[in-house]
Every structure is written in structure tokens, then in C-alpha cells.
Amino acid sequence: MTKKVKIVVFSLLPALFLGWLAFQAFENSAAYYYTISETSALEETDQKLRLKGQLVEGSVDYNSSIPRLEFSLADQDAQVEAVYQGVLPDNFHHAQEVIVEGKFNTQGQFLVSKLMLQCPSKYEGEE
Amino acid sequence: MHYLGLITLYLALGFALLALLAGAGLFRLAPDLARKANSCSVLTTALSTLALVVSFLTDNFELAYVARNSARSLPVVYKISALWAGQSGSLLLWLVIISLFSLAVQGKRSFREKDFDLRVNTVINAVRVLFMILLLFVSSPFESLADPPINGQGLNPMLQSLGMVIHPPLLFLGFSGFLVPFAIMTAALWKREGGDDWLEEVKPWAVLAWLFLTAGTVTGGHWAYTELGWGGYWAWDPVENASLLPWLTGTALLHALHLGREQAGRKLWSYFLTVLTFALTIFGTFLTRSGVLDSVHAFSGGALGSIFLAVLAAILLFSLGLAWVRRDRLLDLETEEHSLLSLTFAIKAGSVLLLLLFAAVFFGTMFPLISRTLTGREIILDAGFFNQVTVPIFLVLFLLMGLAPVLPRKQAGTAALWRKIWLPLFVGLSVGLYTCFTKGGGAAALACAIAAFGLVAHVKSLAGGKERRLRLSSVLVHMGVLVMLIGVAGSSAYTDSVFVSVEPGEEIQFGPYVVSYMGLQARYGIDRYSVGTTLAVSREGRELGELTSEKTFWENRSQPSTEVGILSTVREDLYLNLAGWEGQTAQLHLQRFALVSWIWFGSGIVYLGAALGLLAPKPATKADKQVKAWSRTF
């Protein structure tokens, strides 16, 4: 092999391999970011979504023995009903913003697979 | 107190500027005076930090930073660690660590010949001046309150842990450590002519920085593992990725530095990796401080992010320019042939894999930004993406690493190779097949096989006597990483989880364990009360120990905090979270993770190996000495 061929082989092959891996992995793990108002115009989809919104006061319903957490998230114009099968996080009620990842079911409920909270006091005070 | 902190910081800036300008040759200053200016700058930086520490210890809530991150009742050790609980304090800690490195550079005797230390410190001081300006004018920890509160807001309970005390300083030691190789290379290339010994000079600093960065990342993982809701020891969170990226390129750098000196492109490659690693430490700060990505870490945004982005661009442009101007010193065309079955080739292939991992993690972390720019819609890639892409590459990489002690430097005879490889191969295959059939899990079983193969190959090489090509330190580091691999494979594949509601006196069967619940206990403190439970755990009739989990409610905080219980054995960890209760009926979340403790044990071996490499450097061979003498004549 000449030097040039070698360089091409050793840089192109790994790059192609990486591209193939990334392509394979993309489909199952990509979550599309939508605002809550955008979801009302959304047609039925099996795509994983990520939503961010404020907790609607009084909407939280937690059944600790299953455990199952129901709540509503809202932005200025719309709100979404969400269901999370899991333990209530400690700082849930005081979260500044709730980020959820999951899919809509046929009843229009958002089934949460991953729940993240952004809290004012998580790392540093309000600035 | 805040005046003292500010004045000393201004003085530090003045001294650092003096040392910087003198070092850059903008005006003449006797070398010893330049060194004294540098020392004074380090001293005043330390005093300024001390002023902040004393403010924390004396509950000086006149300082906004202290009021925000501390309270009277906080234990002393957390009052000290609260120093880096916020943004500006973290910057100050980082600055102090960089300052200590500049002192170490100045103290190194071989650097003081020809005043090389002054030139290295010029680069370091440029970074220090930047940090001081940020601390004085952008994000100051010495801002005072006109109306100081009687008590501070206190430190977030999640930050009141040993992890918070040791993880950030170690990480900052790692981040700043990679500034030194960058500074040495820049200083060496700044002159038009010179020898090549800078590559050798860089080695110990790179190893030291790598050791700290590894320890910082692993302790961060351990902390996240013990803290509820942080997604386990590794969640592919942007902030975690920010410390993994320089680790990947830093690892490639260490291997590039240990390539034979005859390899063409070694200098250019090392320079490229040094610049990239240093740039990534800055990039990590940009990522965590700019708020461009959603993260569970939720740092505050602000001007700092864009400043770091500008600095990053400046560093990259400067380094590219320097490499172009000094290309004749970076390129060397002499090379030595080596076969595909050689250590040299394995190192090169491994470096390519490390860069692939870097590219994958970088791409995945930045994908929300990339997709937002290209399509207007943000697309987030979750942990599944990172696992699917990186696990295959990691496995090939670890297989190569396991081969390292078997391979000769340049050329291998197949017969000699076979003699060394049959035993590791046999053990690896047996372990893999056994794991696969008894426990299942394809990738995890493969990982165990690869780890067993590599471990046997490395242990066998230790007994090889004169034939051994890898240094003991490298063998230990490799073995530690392989032990960690077993832990990661086990704890991600062989897990179990159960959620139960139990009455006092009830026993739960969980896998091979019997766990008995005896009710809840309450504890009261000055500013808190806790409700917790302690479970007795037994396995096959033998008592194993206890698991305690409790929820704490704080007087001045609206949300409670949960301490999880972990019972760690060699075989697996039991993980308990007291999720809630009604009367004496408790809801328990019990989990099992196989082999987790191997990760922490393996990391210990890695530290030992890296420390050994630093303390007992390889005696220089005759050829090394010749080259050194030759390069000094320039």
C-alpha cells in the first residue's frame, strides 16, 4: 500500500463505521423538542418528544403505592396532561420548570419516560 | 473582609500582568524579578481565596456569595467546600489551582535553564489574567450586600456530601493540569529553533493532569451514584460529557507521547492532541456555563458562556497559526516501518478509536444545537444513542488495549505471538461463554470476555521478566481500566428493581436476599427532621448488613432531600430508596446492580499505576540521552 492509500483507508473506514453506528442509533433515541402550544397542532405521532413547561398548580396527583404520578404542564397558551410511572422526585412541587420526554398515547395523555427538573436551588441561587 | 479579598485580587492581577509582559519580552525585567512577580501574584491569589474561606468560616453574610451558599449551622467542612458551590467561587478555585501549577513550573530546575520557565509561565499567566478579570469584573465572589441577612440561605442538601468536597477540586486539577502541556508546547514552539525535548518535558505533566481528570470524573460518577435522581454513575448528561471529552483526547495524547520517537508525525499529532485537550477543558466550561443545553446540572447562564466561547476561538486560532508558522519544527519525515501486528500500530489504531469516541460524544452532546441551527427544531439524543454508538467502539478499543503487552514494538513473529496469546484467549473465551449462558446479555458478556482476556494478558506479562515491554505503571493502569470495564458491564446489564409497599415486621424476598422492615424512625436536628428506615438484609440465612434510607425536611427549604441506602458487596450492590409512607406503611424502591464496586476498585488500581508512573520514571536509555544531548546543543 502506498502512503496515501493507507491514510485514506485509515481515516475513511473509521468515519464510515461511526456514521453507520450513529445512523442506527439515531432512530430509537432522538427526541424532538416541542413547546406545549405546538403539541396541540401536532398530528398523531409515534415520535418521542421532549416538552418543557411549568407545573399547573393543583394538577399534581401522586399515588405512592403503585407508584404513579399525574400532573399537567403548561406554557402561555396550552397545557398537557402527563403521566409518569415512577417515584415522585423530592423537589417536584418546587421545580421551576419540568422537562419531560416521552410519547402521546391515543387518549392524548403524555406518557413520560424521563422526567427532569430544573430547580432554582440545584446548583446556584437565583441570579 | 471583602475589601481584603478584592485588594489582594487586584494586586494579583497587577503582578500577573507584570510577569506576563516581562515574560512576553515587552519590556526588560531581570529573570529573577519576573519570577518574583509571578510568586507574588500566586501569593496574593492565595490570600484572596483565604479571605473568602475565612468569610465562610466566620459566617460573614455581608458577602452575597457567602449568604447564598452557607448558613450558620453548616458543618465546617461544608463551609469550606461551599467555596466552590457557586460559579464565581468555582472560578476562584480554578484560578488558585492554575496558580499552583505555575509555581510548580517555576520550581522545576530543568526549566530554569535558559529561562524556559518564564516562557511557559507567560502562557499560563495569560490564562490567569483572564480568570482574574472575570473574577473582578464579570462574576465576583466579593460582591457585598447593603443589608446583610442574619443567616445565610444554606447549602443545598445535595451538595452536603463528601462528593462535593473532593470531586470539583479534582476535576479542576485535571482541567488546569492540561494547561501546562499546552503552555510548554507553545513556549517551545514560540522560538524559531530548538530541540525536541519538549515532547519529553510534556510527559509527566500530561500524566499528572490525566490522573486528576480521571479521579475527578470517577469521583463525580460515584457521587452521582449515591445521590438520588442524578441518574446513576453515568447518564451521558452534557456536563458529564464535558469532562469525558478532554479525557478521551488526553488519553490519546498520553499514548502519542509514548510512541517511539521514530514515528513520523508524532510531534504534530502530540501538538494537535494537546491543543484539542486544553481547548476542550475550556469548552466544557462554556457548555456548563452558557445554558445552551438542558442539563440536570442546571448551571446559571449569563455572560460567562460567551466569554469562554470567544476565548476558545482565540486559543484555536492562535494554535493553528503557531502550528503553521512553525510547521518545519512539527513535521518530521523520518519514519520506521512497523507491521500491523505491533504495539506501534495498536497505539495508532487506538488513538483513532479514541478520536472516534470523541467525535461521537461531541456530536451527540451538541446535536440539540446542530439540529436547531439546521432545521429549526431541537432534537435531543438520549443515553441510548451514546450507548449504542460508543459501546462497540469502546469494546474494540479495550480489546486492543488487552493486546498491548502481547505485541512487540515493531514486528511480530506469529509463533511467538501465539505462545503469548493462547492462555488469555482461552480464559477470555471461557469467561465470555460462561457469563453468556448463565446470565445472558450479549454485549455485557462480550465485555467480560474482553476484560478477562486483557487482564490475563497483562498479569502474564508481569511474570515475563526481561521480555516485558510495558512499564509496570502502564500495566497497572490498563488492568484498572479493565476491572472498571467489568464493573460497568455488570452494573448496566445485570440489574433488578422492585417497588413494594410494606407493613412493619414484614419480610420481602428480593432475588436471593431477604429484607425485613421494622418500621420508621424519626430524628430531629436544629434545622431539620428526618424520617427513615433501617432494613436488615440477609442472604441464604446469613446476615449481610443493613440498609438505611431517610428523607430529611429542612426548616428553611421547601423541598425535602432523600438519602439512599447502599449495601455494597463484591458481587453486587443493594440500593434502597425510601420513596414514601402512610402511617407506618412504607413504600420502598429496592434495586440491585451487579459488580458496581469493581468500578471503584478498578479506579484505585488506575490511580496507583498513574502515580507509580509519575514517581518512578523510566530510566533514560542510551539513545534517549544521546538525543537529549544532541537537542540541547541547539
Side-chain angles (χ1 to χ4, degrees):
Chain A
M1 273 195 287
T2 65
K3 199 160 179 192
K4 269 188 189 158
V5 175
K6 254 190 200 172
I7 291 177
V8 168
V9 168
F10 285 120
S11 54
L12 212 60
L13 273 186
L16 283 177
F17 176 59
L18 182 67
W20 179 76
L21 278 175
F23 184 76
Q24 295 282 312
F26 184 82
E27 222 157 279
N28 308 323
S29 54
Y32 290 72
Y33 181 86
Y34 275 79
T35 64
I36 288 170
S37 354
E38 275 176 323
T39 59
S40 46
L42 198 67
E43 296 196 2
E44 224 169 87
T45 172
D46 200 33
Q47 181 57 55
K48 194 154 75 166
L49 307 175
R50 176 182 281 210
L51 314 175
K52 187 151 104 174
Q54 247 105 40
L55 212 51
V56 176
E57 241 173 272
S59 71
V60 181
D61 179 24
Y62 178 57
N63 184 332
S64 64
S65 56
I66 306 178
R68 177 187 163 97
L69 176 65
E70 293 185 26
F71 55 94
S72 294
L73 289 183
D75 62 3
Q76 291 90 338
D77 307 316
Q79 77 178 57
V80 155
E81 230 179 278
V83 182
Y84 175 61
Q85 303 276 355
V87 178
L88 175 80
D90 279 335
N91 32 19
F92 189 71
H93 289 273
H94 301 278
Q96 214 174 28
E97 232 162 16
V98 180
I99 302 170
V100 288
E101 241 173 65
K103 292 177 180 174
F104 279 105
N105 67 6
T106 42
Q107 286 93 50
Q109 281 177 315
F110 193 73
L111 303 180
V112 180
S113 55
K114 191 173 167 194
L115 181 67
M116 285 181 286
L117 310 174
Q118 282 195 327
C119 307
S121 58
K122 185 87 181 232
Y123 196 78
E124 168 138 89
E126 308 78 304
E127 272 192 315
Chain B
M1 213 43 155
H2 79 275
Y3 286 116
L4 183 66
L6 274 178
I7 290 167
T8 45
L9 201 53
Y10 272 111
L11 282 174
L13 178 61
F15 284 123
L17 275 173
L18 194 66
L20 173 67
L21 296 177
L26 290 181
F27 65 88
R28 290 173 71 99
L29 196 66
D32 273 333
L33 275 179
R35 287 195 187 101
K36 279 198 180 109
N38 190 52
S39 306
C40 285
S41 166
V42 174
L43 184 72
T44 39
T45 309
L47 279 177
S48 176
T49 313
L50 198 64
L52 191 56
V53 172
V54 170
S55 304
F56 268 107
L57 289 176
T58 55
D59 300 319
N60 183 354
F61 300 124
E62 266 173 47
L63 285 184
Y65 188 74
V66 177
R68 214 160 44 223
N69 293 300
S70 184
R72 287 183 197 282
S73 60
L74 200 65
V76 172
V77 58
Y78 297 134
K79 276 185 182 167
I80 295 171
S81 69
L83 181 72
W84 51 84
Q87 176 172 285
S88 45
S90 302
L91 283 179
L92 187 59
L93 174 71
W94 198 347
L95 172 66
V96 169
I97 291 171
I98 296 178
S99 304
L100 292 178
F101 272 113
S102 93
L103 215 54
V105 164
Q106 191 172 302
K108 198 161 154 53
R109 198 174 301 151
S110 65
F111 281 2
R112 292 172 83 124
E113 289 170 28
K114 294 191 205 163
D115 295 335
F116 187 61
D117 64 318
L118 292 181
R119 287 191 282 144
V120 175
N121 266 336
T122 305
V123 181
I124 296 182
N125 274 327
V127 177
R128 290 183 61 222
V129 164
L130 170 81
F131 271 75
M132 289 171 190
I133 291 174
L134 289 179
L135 278 165
L136 283 169
F137 306 112
V138 181
S139 175
S140 171
F142 295 109
E143 251 169 57
S144 60
L145 294 171
D147 190 15
I150 297 166
N151 200 352
Q153 291 173 12
L155 187 64
N156 187 323
M158 281 184 163
L159 301 185
Q160 296 186 28
S161 89
L162 190 64
M164 180 60 189
V165 181
I166 57 174
H167 159 67
L170 282 173
L171 203 60
F172 284 131
L173 276 164
F175 277 6
S176 357
F178 277 111
L179 168 60
V180 183
F182 174 78
I184 292 176
M185 287 203 181
T186 307
L189 286 177
W190 193 251
K191 289 217 164 162
R192 191 160 296 131
E193 280 161 4
D196 287 344
D197 45 349
W198 49 275
L199 267 187
E200 292 302 310
E201 299 289 6
V202 159
K203 254 189 211 176
W205 300 98
V207 174
L208 185 68
W210 186 89
L211 170 61
F212 282 133
L213 188 57
T214 309
T217 310
V218 173
T219 50
H222 186 266
W223 184 19
Y225 173 66
T226 57
E227 215 58 69
L228 187 71
W230 283 8
Y233 56 81
W234 197 262
W236 295 107
D237 184 82
V239 174
E240 293 170 347
N241 295 349
S243 72
L244 180 65
L245 290 172
W247 187 88
L248 290 169
T249 56
T251 308
L253 171 64
L254 286 193
H255 288 88
L257 291 173
H258 286 86
L259 267 181
R261 26 175 103 251
E262 308 83 4
Q263 291 308 311
R266 170 177 177 246
K267 275 186 265 176
L268 185 63
W269 185 233
S270 304
Y271 180 72
F272 164 72
L273 287 173
T274 304
V275 171
L276 185 60
T277 307
F278 171 60
L280 284 171
T281 63
I282 301 289
F283 175 76
T285 314
F286 157 70
L287 210 60
T288 50
R289 297 296 172 188
S290 61
V292 290
L293 298 172
D294 282 333
S295 154
V296 290
H297 284 68
F299 294 94
S300 52
L304 217 57
S306 30
I307 295 176
F308 270 93
L309 194 61
V311 171
L312 186 67
I315 291 168
L316 289 177
L317 278 177
F318 169 81
S319 307
L320 266 178
L322 188 64
W324 177 250
V325 173
R326 294 282 178 265
R327 58 189 180 280
D328 51 323
R329 288 194 55 195
L330 282 170
L331 291 173
D332 48 346
L333 295 169
E334 44 175 324
T335 189
E336 206 178 40
E337 284 304 310
H338 54 80
S339 79
L340 290 185
L341 276 176
S342 66
L343 188 59
T344 305
F345 180 77
I347 289 180
K348 286 182 178 174
S351 306
V352 171
L353 291 175
L354 281 165
L355 278 196
L356 277 188
L357 285 169
F358 158 75
V361 176
F362 184 84
F363 173 79
T365 311
M366 297 306 283
F367 200 71
L369 274 183
I370 299 171
S371 58
R372 189 162 64 202
T373 317
L374 292 183
T375 67
R377 164 102 38 222
E378 208 168 291
I379 301 172
I380 300 100
L381 300 173
D382 66 10
F385 173 84
F386 290 98
N387 287 333
Q388 273 190 60
V389 176
T390 60
V391 167
I393 307 177
F394 265 122
L395 288 183
V396 179
L397 183 68
F398 289 134
L399 185 65
L400 264 181
M401 194 178 97
L403 275 170
V406 181
L407 294 170
R409 194 106 216 167
K410 290 168 209 154
Q411 203 87 37
T414 6
L417 195 63
W418 179 247
R419 207 173 58 237
K420 285 184 192 159
I421 213 173
W422 69 267
L423 183 66
L425 214 52
F426 174 73
V427 175
L429 278 175
S430 322
V431 168
L433 288 175
Y434 174 80
T435 318
C436 191
F437 283 120
T438 54
K439 306 268 180 197
L446 185 61
C448 289
I450 288 171
F453 165 77
L455 281 171
V456 174
H458 277 81
V459 171
K460 201 163 166 271
S461 81
L462 284 181
K466 269 191 184 167
E467 258 184 274
R468 179 154 62 89
R469 281 173 200 86
L470 289 186
R471 299 162 58 189
L472 179 61
S473 53
S474 314
V475 171
L476 281 177
V477 171
H478 282 180
M479 286 174 61
V481 170
L482 290 171
V483 171
M484 290 175 77
L485 170 64
I486 296 176
V488 171
S491 57
S492 28
Y494 311 121
T495 60
D496 192 5
S497 160
V498 64
F499 192 91
V500 284
S501 213
V502 282
E503 306 280 341
E506 217 175 307
E507 283 191 342
I508 316 139
Q509 182 80 36
F510 181 44
Y513 304 94
V514 176
V515 176
S516 45
Y517 168 68
M518 302 309 294
L520 298 166
Q521 300 92 36
R523 286 196 303 147
Y524 294 88
I526 305 168
D527 57 350
R528 72 191 82 170
Y529 79 93
S530 311
V531 176
T533 181
T534 300
L535 309 179
V537 183
S538 63
R539 187 192 162 100
E540 287 151 10
R542 231 185 57 231
E543 283 210 13
L544 268 187
E546 288 179 334
L547 272 172
T548 302
S549 170
E550 62 179 17
K551 250 188 187 24
T552 303
F553 300 85
W554 304 77
E555 185 189 59
N556 53 359
R557 289 191 176 267
S558 40
Q559 72 253 30
S561 61
T562 304
E563 281 293 313
V564 296
I566 298 171
L567 182 65
S568 194
T569 65
V570 179
R571 197 189 309 233
E572 64 187 341
D573 277 18
L574 277 175
Y575 198 98
L576 167 72
N577 167 22
L578 175 62
W581 59 84
E582 273 157 58
Q584 281 291 321
T585 310
Q587 282 97 35
L588 306 176
H589 188 201
L590 277 161
Q591 283 167 285
R592 291 196 288 160
F593 303 103
L595 305 174
V596 178
S597 52
W598 290 49
I599 301 175
W600 324 127
F601 177 67
S603 72
I605 305 177
V606 172
Y607 307 151
L608 192 71
L612 195 70
L614 282 171
L615 296 176
K618 189 178 169 185
T621 61
K622 228 179 199 172
D624 281 340
K625 276 182 191 152
Q626 258 169 12
V627 171
K628 215 165 190 176
W630 170 79
S631 62
R632 282 266 161 77
T633 56
F634 279 91

